[in-house]
Amino acid sequence: MLPSHIAIVMDGNGRWARRRGQPRLFGHRAGVQVARDVVIAARDLGVKVVTLYAFSTENWKRPAEEVQGIFSLLEEFFARGVGELAGSGVKVRVIGDRERLPESVRRVAEEAEEKTRHCTAMTVNVALNYGGRWDLVSAARSLVEDAVHGRIGKQDVTEEAISARLSTAGQPDPDLILRTGGENRLSNFLLWQAAYSEIWVTPKLWPDFTAEDLKSAIRDFETRERRYGSVGTER
C-alpha cells in the first residue's frame, strides 16, 4: 500500500558540499532544488502529505552565517517555488514555532500558504524552527489553558485531544519516515506522530537523492507488515 504521508529528514547537505571543497551553504542550495523535485515526484506517485524537516529548533546552534544563509534560501524557496507548487496542486503548510523566525521568512511563508490554500493534490509541510518536543509542549499548554478555563476536564485529556493540538492536526501520522545521510535517529522530528512510522535510512546525502530513491523507499515500505503492536500474520 502506498504511504499517504512521508516525512523526510533531509540530512547531508554540509557533508556533500565539504566533499566538493565548497562551503556548507553550497550544499543547502543544492538541497533546496532536490526538495522541490522530490515533492513533485511524491505528488506524481499519489502521496498525499510530505513533511520536510527544513530547520529544527536545534539548528540555531549552527554558525550564524550558515543560519542566515539557510533562511535566505528558504525565502527563495517560498518566493520562487510557490508558483510551481501551486501549478502542481501542492498546498504549502508551515509547521513549527514561527515566533523566532525572521519576519521576512514568516511573511513569504504566509504568502505561500495563502497562494496554495486552494490546492488539493497534495500537502507539503515545511517544518521550520520545529521540534517534536516543542510540538508536545505546545499541545500540553493548550490542554492546560482549556482546563483552567473549564472547557475540558481530566477525562478529556486523551490521545485524540493531544493529536488535535499538534502542528499536524487534521493530517494522518507519517506512514514512512525517510532519512538521508546514514544516521539512524529521529533528531526530535515528529516524536508523537512517529509512534508507528516505518523508518527507511539511506547513506545517500540529500543533494544526491532522486525520485528513483524515493520510489525505492516506497517499494521497501510496501513489503513491510505493519502490526501496530499485534502479532501480525506470522506467529
Side-chain angles (χ1 to χ4, degrees):
M1 181 180 296
L2 184 75
S4 61
H5 183 175
I6 299 177
I8 306 176
V9 182
M10 306 177 291
D11 195 17
N13 290 341
R15 281 175 283 165
W16 185 87
R18 191 164 60 248
R19 291 174 186 177
R20 287 159 177 76
Q22 297 291 335
R24 291 175 60 84
L25 202 58
F26 180 78
H28 292 309
R29 179 172 291 279
V32 168
Q33 181 58 55
V34 171
R36 282 200 294 262
D37 293 344
V38 168
V39 166
I40 298 302
R43 185 220 57 172
D44 291 345
L45 290 168
V47 177
K48 291 304 181 183
V49 183
V50 168
T51 300
L52 303 175
Y53 205 8
F55 191 87
S56 76
T57 50
E58 290 74 37
N59 285 158
W60 293 101
K61 300 173 185 177
R62 297 186 177 190
E65 182 180 357
E66 181 179 354
V67 170
Q68 183 178 357
I70 291 172
F71 284 141
S72 294
L73 290 173
L74 286 168
E75 284 187 48
E76 185 178 323
F77 171 80
F78 286 123
R80 297 185 180 181
V82 67
E84 179 185 3
L85 294 176
S88 300
V90 178
K91 178 186 295 185
V92 175
R93 181 172 172 182
V94 176
I95 63 173
D97 184 359
R98 303 190 190 197
E99 291 301 315
R100 195 177 174 185
L101 294 175
E103 191 277 333
S104 56
V105 175
R106 292 200 306 269
R107 185 180 66 253
V108 294
E110 289 167 2
E111 289 173 355
E113 288 179 318
E114 179 58 30
K115 289 177 181 176
T116 61
R117 183 172 51 86
H118 64 284
C119 296
T120 58
M122 192 184 79
T123 297
V124 57
N125 298 318
V126 182
L128 286 181
N129 197 26
Y130 176 87
R133 291 180 175 180
W134 165 84
D135 212 357
L136 286 166
V137 168
S138 297
R141 286 175 175 166
S142 176
L143 285 167
V144 169
E145 184 176 359
D146 283 347
V148 166
H149 289 87
R151 292 189 287 266
I152 62 172
K154 181 172 65 175
Q155 70 281 358
D156 298 311
V157 181
T158 62
E159 290 187 14
E160 292 75 18
I162 293 172
S163 293
R165 288 164 171 80
L166 295 174
S167 58
T168 54
Q171 299 179 348
D173 288 339
D175 301 295
L176 174 63
I177 293 181
L178 186 162
R179 179 164 187 150
T180 60
E183 303 289 352
N184 293 283
R185 57 176 176 267
L186 287 175
S187 296
N188 198 20
F189 185 42
L190 301 175
L191 298 180
W192 176 278
Q193 299 91 325
Y196 282 101
S197 301
E198 297 295 320
I199 299 176
W200 188 87
V201 178
T202 175
K204 270 197 172 184
L205 305 179
W206 179 245
D208 290 326
F209 194 79
T210 67
E212 286 304 311
D213 295 315
L214 177 66
K215 291 177 184 177
S216 294
I218 291 174
R219 284 195 294 269
D220 181 77
F221 169 85
E222 291 175 331
T223 67
R224 301 188 188 187
E225 182 184 13
R226 305 183 73 194
R227 296 188 295 274
Y228 300 98
S230 72
V231 294
T233 56
E234 294 184 7
R235 301 192 180 190

